[in-house]
Amino acid sequence: MTEALPSVALAAPGGRRMALPVIEAAVLAILALAPLVLQDYLTVYATRVLILCLFALSFDLVWGYAGIMSFGQSLFFGSAGYGVALIARDLDIASIAVVIPAGVLIGFVGAMLLGGFLLLGRHPSSVIFVSLGTMTGAYAADRLARGWYYLGGQNGIPSIQSMNIGTYELSEGPVFYYLALAILVAVYMLCRFLVRSQFGLALAGLRENEQRIAFFGYKVQHLKAIIFTLSGAIAGLAGSLYAFHEGFVWPNMLGVVMSTQVVLYVLFGGAGTLIGAVIGTVVIEAVSFWLSNSYQDIWPIILGVLLLLVIMFRPAGLVSLVLSERERVGSFGRPGRGGGDGTA
Amino acid sequence: MALLEATGIVKTFGKLTALNGAALSVAANEFHGLIGPNGSGKSTLMKCVAGAEVPTTGRVSFAGADITEASPAERARAGMSLKFQITSVLPALTLYDNVLLALQGKSSLVGLVFSRSRGVLHDKVMGMLERFRLAGRANDPASALSHGQQQWLEIAMALASEPKLLLLDEPTGGMSLEERRVTGELLQPIKAGCSLVIVEHDLDFIRDICDRLTVLDQGSVLCSGTVQEIQSNPKVQEVYLRRA
């Protein structure tokens, strides 16, 4: 193959064809430098935000890319959090080599089971069925945790020991921050590879018109179950980090409130763009933090109005202010030898 | 042996009987027209063949295998391809990606994730776009095309996987006379390797490209035969052509 590939998606209107890599690099630079300028308590807060970014990526993958409305994403986040908390409490194991893979596995298996039930029917499941099914799962898990003494009931599991690497204890602060950032970047790159591969093209087809792509031969239920399971594993990874960072787990981690929160992160930033999920999480959490300090009584109302305004007037999210539609949709696949498609 | 054989197809929706024992037989490399008045069951029969609807009773076989209960994906993997009555290209994707997506429907998951097929399949994608006079717009989103061009794109997508049987439901709907003529020209070359079943209201178009016709009326087959036989059939003139 010597002929150059067509520059699909490279020629975004308005001369903004390279906006996405620039934004990604800028966000990475800001996140990498943040602990150098932030006070300690803010670094701790920022670590929590990074972990929530990871959680938002998991939801963006299923909703933004594959069009599956998982209204119970917190089920995998919270289950993994509870799972690693129990491992730390009952088995006295807090090694990062055990608890992080355990969290991923819990999210993976949970999503595989729920996804298998909701998505692997003979006929494709409706959006309503999946969203209600996932929401019911999260709600049931929340109620179960609140009522089960072994899981700490309403209070959850407090005082989880610190995660450790050998003899080094990972307590909250800059080290934990950079660990969370490294994991976020790794997961982001993995997701970026996937959504820009031919698999990503199939996901785009799924999102746009799943009935149509079934007639091309795609096994749409399998595709959905696979991406749902992968997103559950990422949510599990986020949940296990969150449990050790916060030092406790509680039923809200499993419930509908947390699930709704992640939907807002992604809608606010821009569903269907990985960087949108990250920006949405960071902006919502930063604005919440600032508003709660400045307007203690009415800050939730101000935040709610702000979210409504963005969703009403910028349904494609904040990133649509700087990214054209063409660039947000992107292009797919790696070129063959001699190919000229440089878009990632 | 016929490539496609649908026999005794009954399809009911509640109390409504859309098909009442309809049948269709298509040989390899045959262009077969499915005609009939509005409401005669043409599109429903097409959907039963394509897998969009499962017949209430009856049997559909394709290339010797019973596919009555097969999913659309299984039928596509067996070599059947469909163009819907309502244009259903993927509007946010480029023309290039629309065709590439159609080309890779039979790929495995691992193949999709690690494929370098964008390079490997490039000539095929561009060849298909060129054939349908769309190569100059490969980078445009499909939503930017006119209705007629979207119909061509969808035919290109349906043909991309080199099917044994192509099902076209009203491919010239909403097209100008010139676009209809060009569509007929574009379809002729596929005859060497592909059969075609076409539902169409434009009888001139059907006459020009089809070898055989099946006429449906009220969910049943009125008659089936060559274009000349159908044209001279008094029952068709009575039931179909007069109404048309």
Side-chain angles (χ1 to χ4, degrees), chain A residues 55-222:
Chain A
F55 184 35
L57 281 183
S58 78
F59 176 73
D60 195 22
L61 215 50
V62 282
W63 169 241
Y65 284 92
I68 305 166
M69 178 43 92
S70 171
F71 238 129
Q73 199 67 5
S74 61
L75 175 61
F76 317 121
F77 180 79
S79 300
Y82 267 92
V84 296
L86 289 173
I87 291 172
R89 185 189 73 182
D90 297 347
L91 304 177
D92 197 24
I93 297 174
S95 166
I96 191 170
V98 174
V99 292
I100 295 298
V104 172
L105 187 65
I106 292 167
F108 181 89
V109 172
M112 190 168 65
L113 294 175
L114 188 62
F117 174 69
L118 294 175
L119 301 168
L120 286 181
R122 174 166 168 75
H123 301 291
S125 313
S126 69
V127 173
I128 298 289
F129 177 70
V130 175
S131 51
L132 287 180
T134 48
M135 189 166 73
T136 304
Y139 179 75
D142 181 329
R143 303 308 301 174
L144 179 72
R146 286 182 197 282
W148 194 358
Y149 179 74
Y150 176 64
L151 297 180
Q154 297 277 5
N155 298 322
I157 301 173
S159 307
I160 303 170
Q161 61 178 293
S162 296
M163 192 161 54
N164 60 63
I165 305 172
T167 55
Y168 181 79
E169 282 201 356
L170 272 167
S171 52
E172 54 186 25
V175 176
F176 207 122
Y177 179 92
Y178 282 111
L179 171 72
L181 180 59
I183 291 173
L184 176 63
V185 170
V187 171
Y188 187 95
M189 295 310 289
L190 172 71
C191 293
R192 198 176 193 274
F193 170 76
L194 274 181
V195 301
R196 290 289 176 250
S197 69
Q198 301 301 336
F199 179 69
L201 178 59
L203 291 183
L206 196 62
R207 181 187 64 220
E208 294 267 314
N209 190 339
E210 70 175 62
Q211 189 194 17
R212 185 72 193 94
I213 72 163
F215 284 92
F216 293 145
Y218 289 96
K219 295 177 177 175
V220 294
Q221 286 99 317
H222 290 188

Side-chain angles (χ1 to χ4, degrees), chain A:
Chain A
M1 177 72 54
T2 54
E3 188 185 349
L5 293 169
S7 56
V8 177
L10 287 178
R16 294 181 296 195
R17 62 197 274 271
M18 295 303 287
L20 182 58
V22 171
I23 293 170
E24 287 175 327
V27 170
L28 178 60
I30 291 168
L31 295 180
L33 298 174
L36 305 180
V37 294
L38 292 177
Q39 295 170 29
D40 286 350
Y41 79 100
L42 285 175
T43 300
V44 172
Y45 188 77
T47 311
R48 183 187 304 157
V49 174
L50 289 185
I51 297 168
L52 291 173
C53 286
L54 204 55
F55 184 35
L57 281 183
S58 78
F59 176 73
D60 195 22
L61 215 50
V62 282
W63 169 241
Y65 284 92
I68 305 166
M69 178 43 92
S70 171
F71 238 129
Q73 199 67 5
S74 61
L75 175 61
F76 317 121
F77 180 79
S79 300
Y82 267 92
V84 296
L86 289 173
I87 291 172
R89 185 189 73 182
D90 297 347
L91 304 177
D92 197 24
I93 297 174
S95 166
I96 191 170
V98 174
V99 292
I100 295 298
V104 172
L105 187 65
I106 292 167
F108 181 89
V109 172
M112 190 168 65
L113 294 175
L114 188 62
F117 174 69
L118 294 175
L119 301 168
L120 286 181
R122 174 166 168 75
H123 301 291
S125 313
S126 69
V127 173
I128 298 289
F129 177 70
V130 175
S131 51
L132 287 180
T134 48
M135 189 166 73
T136 304
Y139 179 75
D142 181 329
R143 303 308 301 174
L144 179 72
R146 286 182 197 282
W148 194 358
Y149 179 74
Y150 176 64
L151 297 180
Q154 297 277 5
N155 298 322
I157 301 173
S159 307
I160 303 170
Q161 61 178 293
S162 296
M163 192 161 54
N164 60 63
I165 305 172
T167 55
Y168 181 79
E169 282 201 356
L170 272 167
S171 52
E172 54 186 25
V175 176
F176 207 122
Y177 179 92
Y178 282 111
L179 171 72
L181 180 59
I183 291 173
L184 176 63
V185 170
V187 171
Y188 187 95
M189 295 310 289
L190 172 71
C191 293
R192 198 176 193 274
F193 170 76
L194 274 181
V195 301
R196 290 289 176 250
S197 69
Q198 301 301 336
F199 179 69
L201 178 59
L203 291 183
L206 196 62
R207 181 187 64 220
E208 294 267 314
N209 190 339
E210 70 175 62
Q211 189 194 17
R212 185 72 193 94
I213 72 163
F215 284 92
F216 293 145
Y218 289 96
K219 295 177 177 175
V220 294
Q221 286 99 317
H222 290 188
L223 280 174
K224 282 179 163 184
I226 288 165
I227 200 69
F228 189 79
T229 303
L230 178 65
S231 91
I234 296 171
L237 172 61
S240 56
L241 279 173
Y242 197 83
F244 281 104
H245 183 259
E246 300 301 302
F248 68 101
V249 291
W250 71 110
N252 276 3
M253 275 180 75
L254 287 157
V256 176
V257 173
M258 198 75 185
S259 291
T260 309
Q261 199 171 316
V262 78
V263 173
L264 291 177
Y265 290 151
V266 173
L267 283 180
F268 191 75
T273 57
L274 297 171
I275 199 66
V278 173
I279 290 174
T281 309
V282 171
V283 172
I284 286 184
E285 286 299 320
V287 171
S288 303
F289 185 83
W290 176 70
L291 284 176
S292 61
N293 282 331
S294 306
Y295 306 95
Q296 291 182 1
D297 295 329
I298 57 166
W299 75 268
I301 297 172
I302 299 173
L303 182 65
V305 170
L306 185 66
L307 289 172
L308 270 179
L309 287 175
V310 170
I311 290 165
M312 281 172 67
F313 294 106
R314 277 283 163 186
L318 283 181
V319 292
S320 67
L321 291 169
V322 284
L323 291 181
S324 67
E325 184 182 354
R326 194 66 219 96
E327 197 170 10
R328 277 183 281 122
V329 173
S331 67
F332 307 91
R334 294 172 298 154
R337 281 177 300 164
D341 183 8
T343 308

Side-chain angles (χ1 to χ4, degrees), chain A residues 122 198 212 217-218 334-335, chain B residues 69 77 101 104 114 116:
Chain A
R122 174 166 168 75
Q198 301 301 336
R212 185 72 193 94
Y218 289 96
R334 294 172 298 154
Chain B
E69 301 279 326
R77 286 168 180 253
L101 184 69
Q104 299 193 99
F114 296 104
R116 298 183 71 83

